[in-house]
């Protein structure tokens, strides 16, 4: 790891978040949650539901509570243990608002306007280009820096936000005093990943592209239907041919959930031009069902006990608040905002 440490900063802090803007999907699992679960035994982990970020694009809060409960339940169903990590809701950490304000003074309009996610969202929803949307990366940097985290398990789509978080941290350290380590995007043993959609165009997503996205809450029949309608082509015409993007995508998904010998068999069939895409899709659908079904069933059981979820959320907020308060003391000292001394 080539991150820059700050003397005295804890070296094993992990932080990440997920917006409650819809049902979680395979991309969230393989890009983020799989890493959360692997990291919880070795690191001090802060994982949150990013409800404030969701307000930048989803101002209607009528379904927000249920969505937050679902994200919490799905995280636990995937193996996250609330006793080992701080599992909390972003808006419960009030210190976030203060650090967000300070970091906003170090973020420039030009760089925020150039952010890829900002440009995408402006294109998708030109009616609601609010200041919160523009400063989305500042809020995300705040979530990370408020715990002085070094490792941030995320998918490839968050890479630019992490680069911005490092810039804000460095600017703060240079202008005031060194407080923040440089956070790094993290994926266990490999590059950051992007889980493709079943349509071969784009990625799985909570709110767009729903028929091409496999959700952790999808019933068996829905999974079968989505996989079987995935686009294919007429098959390879020469040995060891290059795969078309939609075929490559199916293989990417197969590698995520199927056994190695199954993947090898279909690779061999493709390379020898004997592949039957119908068989590939049937196998993929069944392996997806085996993967998703236990998560779905467990999440539904966890969701049925709301008292327990509230207890978990409260405990998580308590742990995260202690960490945030400690960081804010350092921040105010570094900025010399300590007028009573
Ligand atoms: P969000 O809610 O869009 O996604 C949650 C996590 O899932 C990953 N992800 C994917 N990974 C691979 N393939 C995909 N198709 C795919 N789709 C989503 C995302 O990379 C992310 O890790 N801005 C963040 C939420 C956030 C945050 C933070 C993350 C707020 N504060 C602090 C880390 C640290 C977001 O919108 O993620």
């Amino acid at each position: 790891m080539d991150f820059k440490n700050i003397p005295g900063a804890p070296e094993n802090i992990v932080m990440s978040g997920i917006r409650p803007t819809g049902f979680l999907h395979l991309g969230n699992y393989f890009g983020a949650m799989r890493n959360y679960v692997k990291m919880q035994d070795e690191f001090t982990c802060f994982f949150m539901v990013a409800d404030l970020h969701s307000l930048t694009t989803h101002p209607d809060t009528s379904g927000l509570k249920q969505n937050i409960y679902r994200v919490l339940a799905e995280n636990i169903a995937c193996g996250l243990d609330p006793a080992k990590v701080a599992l909390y809701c972003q808006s419960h950490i009030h210190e976030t608002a203060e650090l967000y304000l300070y970091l906003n003074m170090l973020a420039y309009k030009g760089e925020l306007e150039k952010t890829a996610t900002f440009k995408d969202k402006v294109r998708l929803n030109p009616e609601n280009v609010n200041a919160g949307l523009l400063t989305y990366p500042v809020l995300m940097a705040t979530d990370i820096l408020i715990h002085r985290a070094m490792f941030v398990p995320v998918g490839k789509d968050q890479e630019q936000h992490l680069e911005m978080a490092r810039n804000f941290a460095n600017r703060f350290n240079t202008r005031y005093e060194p407080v923040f380590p440089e956070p790094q995007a993290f994926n266990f043993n490999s590059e950051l990943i992007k889980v493709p959609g079943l349509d071969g165009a784009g990625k799985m997503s909570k709110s767009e592209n729903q028929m091409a996205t496999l959700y952790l809450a999808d019933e068996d029949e829905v999974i079968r239907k989505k996989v079987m309608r995935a686009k294919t082509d007429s098959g390879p015409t020469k040995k060891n041919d290059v795969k078309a993007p939609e075929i490559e995508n199916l293989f990417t998904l197969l590698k995520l959930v199927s056994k190695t010998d199954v993947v090898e068999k279909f690779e061999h069939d493709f390379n020898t031009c004997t592949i039957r895409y119908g068989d590939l899709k049937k196998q993929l659908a069944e392996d997806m069902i085996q993967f998703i079904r236990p998560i779905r069933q467990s999440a539904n059981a966890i969701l049925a006990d709301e008292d327990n979820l509230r207890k978990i959320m409260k405990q998580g907020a308590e742990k995260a608040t202690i960490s945030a308060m400690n960081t804010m003391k350092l921040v105010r000292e570094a900025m010399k905002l300590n007028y009573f001394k």
Side-chain angles (χ1 to χ4, degrees):
M1 281 285 152
D2 59 347
F3 56 80
K4 279 197 206 121
N5 199 354
I6 294 292
E11 283 176 24
N12 63 342
I13 309 277
V14 171
M15 193 278 144
S16 197
I18 300 181
R19 278 172 308 150
T21 48
F23 286 65
L24 299 192
H25 51 75
L26 226 57
N28 300 128
Y29 180 83
F30 285 104
M33 281 138 77
R34 178 174 60 168
N35 285 311
Y36 299 1
V37 175
K38 280 194 190 169
M39 294 175 107
Q40 65 183 342
D41 289 314
E42 280 177 57
F43 297 88
T44 302
C45 296
F46 296 91
F47 297 126
M48 60 158 211
V49 188
D51 58 334
L52 299 177
H53 275 108
S54 76
L55 297 178
T56 62
T57 49
H58 294 62
D60 177 3
T61 52
S62 51
L64 188 55
K65 186 171 115 181
Q66 272 318 307
N67 278 349
I68 290 170
Y69 284 13
R70 173 163 285 282
V71 175
L72 290 171
E74 288 182 336
N75 269 283
I76 300 166
C78 287
L80 211 60
D81 180 351
K84 291 185 185 158
V85 305
L87 181 60
Y88 61 100
C89 189
Q90 187 183 28
S91 61
H92 290 160
I93 313 306
H94 303 299
E95 289 71 15
T96 301
E98 185 184 351
L99 184 58
Y100 173 52
L101 186 126
Y102 301 150
L103 294 182
N104 267 319
M105 315 296 178
L106 300 171
Y108 300 110
K109 179 170 162 275
E111 67 184 333
L112 295 170
E113 279 170 345
K114 272 192 259 159
T115 316
T117 47
F118 176 70
K119 288 201 270 186
D120 280 352
K121 284 174 185 158
V122 171
R123 197 169 32 79
L124 285 173
N125 198 357
E127 305 304 308
N128 185 21
V129 184
N130 58 74
L133 195 63
L134 182 68
T135 56
Y136 184 112
V138 186
L139 183 56
M140 182 162 154
T142 303
D143 299 329
I144 300 166
L145 299 179
I146 205 144
H147 301 300
R148 301 211 288 160
M150 279 200 193
F151 302 112
V152 186
V154 282
K156 193 153 181 52
D157 59 319
Q158 299 296 317
E159 215 166 19
Q160 189 181 25
H161 288 156
L162 259 295
E163 193 187 323
M164 296 174 84
R166 285 193 288 280
N167 289 340
F168 302 145
N170 281 332
R171 264 177 231 163
F172 183 98
N173 291 344
T174 311
R175 175 148 320 163
Y176 302 108
E177 273 168 31
V179 170
F180 299 120
E182 280 190 5
Q184 299 288 320
F186 186 84
N187 184 32
F188 250 97
N189 301 331
S190 67
E191 300 283 295
L192 301 187
I193 65 165
K194 172 178 131 178
V195 177
L198 284 163
D199 57 358
K203 57 169 190 165
M204 291 204 182
S205 153
K206 281 194 232 99
S207 36
E208 301 148 40
N209 222 8
Q210 300 201 348
M211 273 315 282
T213 296
L214 291 167
Y215 295 96
L216 300 178
D218 278 346
E219 295 289 340
D220 296 356
E221 252 333 291
V222 175
I223 299 171
R224 226 171 252 128
K225 205 164 120 197
K226 286 183 180 174
V227 174
M228 292 315 288
R229 13 173 302 171
K231 204 173 132 198
T232 50
D233 57 19
S234 52
T237 48
K238 57 177 194 288
K239 284 190 177 170
N240 303 315
D241 210 354
V242 177
K243 296 187 186 88
E246 59 271 22
I247 306 300
E248 189 65 63
N249 281 355
L250 291 179
F251 273 92
T252 302
L253 294 169
L254 198 71
K255 281 180 204 148
L256 291 175
V257 293
S258 301
K259 295 204 175 79
T260 319
D261 55 338
V262 170
V263 179
E264 277 168 8
K265 175 209 167 330
F266 284 106
E267 289 280 6
H268 173 268
D269 291 354
F270 181 88
N271 287 332
T272 51
C273 304
T274 55
I275 192 157
R276 288 159 44 151
Y277 290 134
D279 292 349
L280 168 69
K281 290 201 278 188
K282 261 190 218 146
Q283 177 79 46
L284 179 60
E286 291 318 307
D287 290 346
M288 278 294 171
I289 289 170
Q290 292 309 318
F291 179 80
I292 289 176
R293 187 191 288 148
I295 298 178
R296 179 186 71 229
Q297 289 172 342
S298 164
N300 287 341
I302 296 164
L303 257 179
D305 187 354
E306 293 201 351
D307 279 345
N308 186 43
L309 282 173
R310 280 187 279 272
K311 207 169 86 196
I312 288 169
M313 197 164 50
K314 190 159 176 277
Q315 278 168 355
E318 282 164 7
K319 289 188 214 169
T321 298
I322 293 172
S323 157
M325 285 171 76
N326 286 337
T327 303
M328 289 318 293
K329 267 190 215 142
L330 299 174
V331 167
R332 291 184 210 113
E333 285 287 324
M335 294 178 75
K336 306 204 172 10
L337 302 177
N338 48 359
Y339 313 132
F340 286 117
K341 273 198 179 164

